[in-house]
Amino acid sequence: MDYLYSMIRKTILLCSLLILLIGNETIKAQNKAEQEKMQWFADAKLGIFIHWGIYSVNGISESWSFFNNYINYKDYMDQLKGFSAGNYNPQLWVDLIKESGARYAVLTSRHHDGVSLWNTKQQGAISIPRNGAVRKDVMTPFISALKRSGLKTGIYYSLPDWSHNDYDVFTGAIKRFNVKDDPQRFERFINYYQGQLKELSKQYKPDLLWFDGDWEHSAEEWRAAETRRRLQSYNPKIIINSRLKEYGDYATPEQGVPVQKPSSPYWELCYTMNDSWGYQPFDRNYKTPYMLINTLVDCISMGGNLLLDIGPKADGTIPEEQVTILKEMGRWTKKHAEAVYGTLAGIAQKHFAGKTALSLDRKTLYLYLNNSQNGLALLKGILTPVNRITMVGSNERLSYKKEDNNYWISVPQDLLDPQMTVIKVQFQKPLVLDGEAGHFSDDYLMSRREPANQIIKRLSEDVASGNNPLSNKGLDVNKPLTNKEVNNREVLDWVNKHAETIGSAKKGLSEGHYAGLSALSPDKRTIYLFVEGKSNAPIALKGINNNIARIRIVGEGTLLSYRLFDKLYWSDKPGIVYIDLPPERMDKNVTIVSVLLDGPVSEYQGEVKAVESNL
């Protein structure tokens, strides 16, 4: 009997181990399949979003304008009569998208207003071919041109249809019915939208489906799990965004550049060039090409994508401002392609005071220089030997000096890109970092031989990290230092000019708020931003909850203008501040900019998500 029990126990143990092994192998296979499916998306980095619909006729907000009662429903839908697409050339659209450097495009097949761009056959549907002035399918020729180009095909689809009689929500103030009271009616709507998804899947074979509006119902009510299964039956490799409740493949932060890397392994920031998704002729608040390239680099450095929006006019032409931006994006991405596509998130800012990305094998590190870096770039805490350092786009070799685990890189001013410069650091093996990346020994302040710009950079790094060697010297604007503390005359002059900061500043902002060095005043009401060299580009400060009282240049008092983007009135996200710096007022080594706040600094650390209200 004991022998029998022993055999049974062994058999059970063996079966358990076998089940565990099979389970582990199944999980590995699923993870591998998921990674293979998502690889093109992870490598793409830049996509173009296209919001095109009848709202472009009057140049008003897509769908939300009648939902929020800014215009009555009849007048909104009367725009169907003006949607002519008279100058629509889908091939020109695709050529421009490809020129921008984008690897995929996402077109709005139907927004919340219920107007479909294609010839849908579903009962109760409103479509451009049947109801619009153009009387033809405007979606098919674009998708066909997109597929011929080799770009990946994305289709935006709104889950809600505020025009459909079987959908419960009509406007923000009016509901047609309660789903619990009339489940059969809502079931007809479910069949309607599932039918449209089947049409889109069968006819266009998209690589990606971009859902929106899922906040109006639960996953169960949307039949989200079933929807995912159906879409996968049409295309097993379909990629779905996060707005199918929890049944998507990647996160979609909206209209707010993340401060920190989103928690999802795959993510994409959807973002407008001005403040509008669709064409609005009186919205002139366009971001500059530099600002949008800066945003693209933000996404790249955190391992994500940028889905940059355009809004064509009702006649099918793309606004001139948007064309200009796309062409300049294309110039920059073409020149710096290896530092854009197929990259991984970069390293911590304590190792480099700026944005970075890594190659897939981690043997190459890309450094993105927002400013001219006063002729120097500094890498700290690098344990892997460097092979060579070059300028991306020209392959020009750069000289560098190793000092312990730090590398000082010389950056010739004549090689700088007008928008953003990229340096390529190649290693012998995959990069390994020293987690400490400590501060410098204090004796550099008394050096006679070290260049002034290098000493100033050391001191700036130390002040920003909270290791200020001059904090106990009694330095302030009315009590300058002498050469007893700083031996180099140029450095001494710089220190005394910036005494307000160097005398008492504390450790700066958390990572992600500023692509450079920063420090805080003792009361934390003033942020000090260190700007290296001279540049025409504005500097960006993001994720600060406070209101700004004043911005000025330390040591000489010039007040600076700034612009706030992405602080939309319905959102609690703090937005991004771009500060203009006149080059003629900048210090040749490092300029310090003082940002006075309305209280102690409050850093936004939340995760940027979809906008679910547009009052």
Side-chain angles (χ1 to χ4, degrees):
M1 186 66 71
D2 290 341
Y3 173 76
L4 180 60
Y5 286 152
S6 175
M7 289 300 295
I8 291 172
R9 283 197 298 270
K10 288 180 181 179
T11 302
I12 292 173
L13 180 60
L14 186 62
C15 289
S16 299
L17 289 173
L18 186 60
I19 290 169
L20 184 62
L21 287 171
I22 292 172
N24 287 338
E25 290 303 313
T26 301
I27 292 170
K28 287 180 183 178
Q30 290 173 342
N31 290 340
K32 183 179 179 182
E34 176 76 4
Q35 187 176 354
E36 289 175 352
K37 181 186 82 168
M38 297 299 296
Q39 196 61 55
W40 75 259
F41 178 83
D43 291 342
K45 302 307 175 189
L46 178 62
I48 299 299
F49 215 175
I50 307 163
H51 275 69
W52 196 35
I54 63 171
Y55 37 86
S56 60
V57 174
N58 292 343
I60 58 178
S61 293
E62 64 290 339
S63 308
W64 295 100
S65 48
F66 80 78
F67 182 87
N68 291 320
N69 296 314
Y70 297 163
I71 182 174
N72 68 52
Y73 179 73
K74 180 184 179 301
D75 288 345
Y76 180 92
M77 296 307 291
D78 276 348
Q79 292 178 105
L80 280 162
K81 302 171 185 175
F83 193 80
S84 67
N87 295 309
Y88 173 45
N89 187 328
Q91 188 59 55
L92 286 181
W93 282 21
V94 171
D95 291 344
L96 183 59
I97 290 168
K98 194 159 189 176
E99 184 181 350
S100 75
R103 295 291 175 89
Y104 63 107
V106 179
L107 175 66
T108 50
S109 67
R110 176 174 70 67
H111 208 269
H112 315 322
D113 59 14
V115 180
S116 302
L117 295 186
W118 82 101
N119 190 22
T120 178
K121 306 299 183 184
Q122 299 306 305
Q123 188 173 357
I126 301 169
S127 72
I128 291 300
R130 185 163 54 251
N131 307 101
V134 63
R135 294 290 174 178
K136 64 180 180 181
D137 177 350
V138 294
M139 184 167 164
T140 299
F142 172 74
I143 299 296
S144 298
L146 195 64
K147 287 186 177 296
R148 288 195 302 270
S149 75
L151 297 174
K152 293 291 186 179
T153 300
I155 293 177
Y156 168 106
Y157 183 81
S158 166
L159 289 165
D161 182 337
W162 294 332
S163 289
H164 200 281
N165 192 49
D166 289 327
Y167 188 63
D168 59 324
V169 177
F170 178 42
T171 71
I174 301 172
K175 286 191 72 171
R176 294 184 177 91
F177 63 97
N178 189 302
V179 172
K180 291 182 180 178
D181 296 336
D182 198 347
Q184 289 184 333
R185 188 174 178 181
F186 191 69
E187 186 67 26
R188 289 198 298 270
F189 177 77
I190 295 296
N191 292 334
Y192 158 78
Y193 102 74
Q194 292 289 356
Q196 286 203 320
L197 288 178
K198 183 176 181 179
E199 290 177 354
L200 293 171
S201 299
K202 294 283 191 179
Q203 186 170 342
Y204 300 116
K205 297 176 174 57
D207 302 291
L208 182 153
L209 266 166
W210 212 102
F211 286 107
D212 201 8
D214 66 345
W215 57 83
E216 289 199 334
H217 288 284
S218 67
E220 291 75 21
E221 287 174 327
W222 285 126
R223 314 287 202 278
E226 178 187 345
T227 299
R228 182 178 176 87
R229 287 195 299 270
R230 285 190 180 187
L231 293 173
Q232 289 174 328
S233 73
Y234 307 135
N235 176 8
K237 294 184 178 180
I238 189 71
I239 292 176
I240 301 169
N241 76 332
S242 61
R243 302 186 189 187
L244 187 62
K245 292 298 184 182
E246 63 267 29
Y247 292 92
D249 297 304
Y250 69 92
T252 53
E254 178 176 347
Q255 288 293 65
V257 183
V259 174
Q260 297 172 329
K261 186 181 185 298
S263 57
S264 173
Y266 305 102
W267 63 275
E268 164 199 82
L269 168 66
C270 55
Y271 202 61
T272 56
M273 293 182 176
N274 50 9
D275 291 331
S276 308
W277 292 107
Y279 172 65
Q280 294 197 32
F282 301 109
D283 181 357
R284 300 289 184 183
N285 195 33
Y286 276 95
K287 305 168 185 80
T288 65
Y290 169 78
M291 293 175 183
L292 292 169
I293 290 170
N294 184 57
T295 298
L296 172 61
V297 169
D298 254 325
C299 295
I300 292 169
S301 68
M302 290 184 281
N305 293 3
L306 172 64
L307 185 63
L308 184 62
D309 183 69
I310 60 173
K313 300 178 183 179
D315 68 355
T317 57
I318 298 173
E320 184 178 337
E321 299 94 334
Q322 299 179 16
V323 172
T324 299
I325 288 169
L326 290 180
K327 285 182 175 292
E328 182 58 11
M329 292 281 285
R331 181 202 68 80
W332 189 86
T333 54
K334 182 178 181 181
K335 177 181 177 181
H336 302 97
E338 66 172 288
V340 176
Y341 311 109
T343 54
L344 301 172
I347 61 178
Q349 281 187 261
K350 65 182 178 181
H351 298 287
F352 176 72
K355 300 168 191 174
T356 60
L358 284 162
S359 60
L360 291 177
D361 64 4
R362 300 182 63 87
K363 290 183 180 180
T364 301
L365 177 67
Y366 298 102
L367 313 178
Y368 306 92
L369 310 186
N370 280 328
N371 301 292
S372 59
Q373 303 289 305
N374 75 340
L376 285 175
L378 174 61
L379 268 176
K380 297 171 69 178
I382 306 299
L383 298 179
T384 310
V386 168
N387 262 348
R388 64 187 308 200
I389 301 178
T390 56
M391 193 74 81
V392 176
S394 67
N395 210 33
E396 186 92 14
R397 291 196 74 151
L398 302 181
S399 61
Y400 61 90
K401 180 178 68 175
K402 185 177 186 299
E403 176 190 86
D404 298 324
N405 292 328
N406 306 322
Y407 287 85
W408 294 92
I409 306 167
S410 297
V411 186
Q413 305 298 292
D414 59 342
L415 295 180
L416 298 174
D417 185 88
Q419 301 292 353
M420 186 172 292
T421 302
V422 186
I423 290 175
K424 177 181 181 179
V425 184
Q426 293 172 279
F427 301 99
Q428 295 176 12
K429 298 177 180 179
L431 176 61
V432 177
L433 299 167
D434 180 353
E436 296 301 317
H439 67 285
F440 306 101
S441 59
D442 295 350
D443 58 359
Y444 65 83
L445 290 172
M446 296 305 293
S447 173
R448 293 178 178 273
R449 293 184 297 177
E450 189 169 1
N453 63 342
Q454 190 164 305
I455 297 174
I456 290 170
K457 193 167 181 69
R458 288 184 194 272
L459 180 56
S460 300
E461 292 266 351
D462 277 349
V463 172
S465 63
N467 297 300
N468 186 354
L470 297 176
S471 61
N472 61 351
K473 302 296 183 181
L475 171 66
D476 65 36
V477 292
N478 295 308
K479 187 180 178 183
L481 291 184
T482 66
N483 57 8
K484 290 182 179 179
E485 289 86 12
V486 179
N487 200 41
N488 184 299
R489 170 52 62 180
E490 185 177 345
V491 176
L492 181 62
D493 290 344
W494 184 87
V495 167
N496 286 328
K497 176 183 176 182
H498 301 95
E500 170 193 339
T501 305
I502 307 304
S504 60
K506 306 299 182 183
K507 185 177 180 180
L509 298 168
S510 301
E511 183 167 338
H513 295 280
Y514 175 61
L517 302 173
S518 67
L520 295 173
S521 60
D523 63 4
K524 296 188 176 182
R525 291 192 60 184
T526 300
I527 303 171
Y528 296 110
L529 306 176
F530 293 72
V531 186
E532 299 177 19
K534 294 189 176 185
S535 172
N536 288 313
I539 57 174
L541 178 64
K542 64 179 178 178
I544 302 300
N545 292 317
N546 308 71
N547 293 316
I548 292 174
R550 183 182 299 115
I551 303 179
R552 60 182 169 82
I553 297 177
V554 171
E556 54 95 90
T558 299
L559 294 178
L560 300 177
S561 61
Y562 62 93
R563 287 193 287 168
L564 178 62
F565 288 91
D566 307 338
K567 180 54 181 170
L568 305 178
Y569 58 89
W570 62 80
S571 171
D572 62 352
K573 311 300 185 297
I576 183 168
V577 177
Y578 280 98
I579 304 167
D580 295 316
L581 272 170
E584 63 272 20
R585 293 298 181 94
M586 296 177 73
D587 189 276
K588 71 175 185 177
N589 287 301
V590 175
T591 304
I592 301 180
V593 174
S594 165
V595 182
L596 177 64
L597 307 174
D598 62 352
V601 63
S602 170
E603 300 177 342
Y604 179 80
Q605 298 291 337
E607 192 160 345
V608 181
K609 297 182 179 179
V611 175
E612 298 184 1
S613 173
N614 191 349
L615 295 173

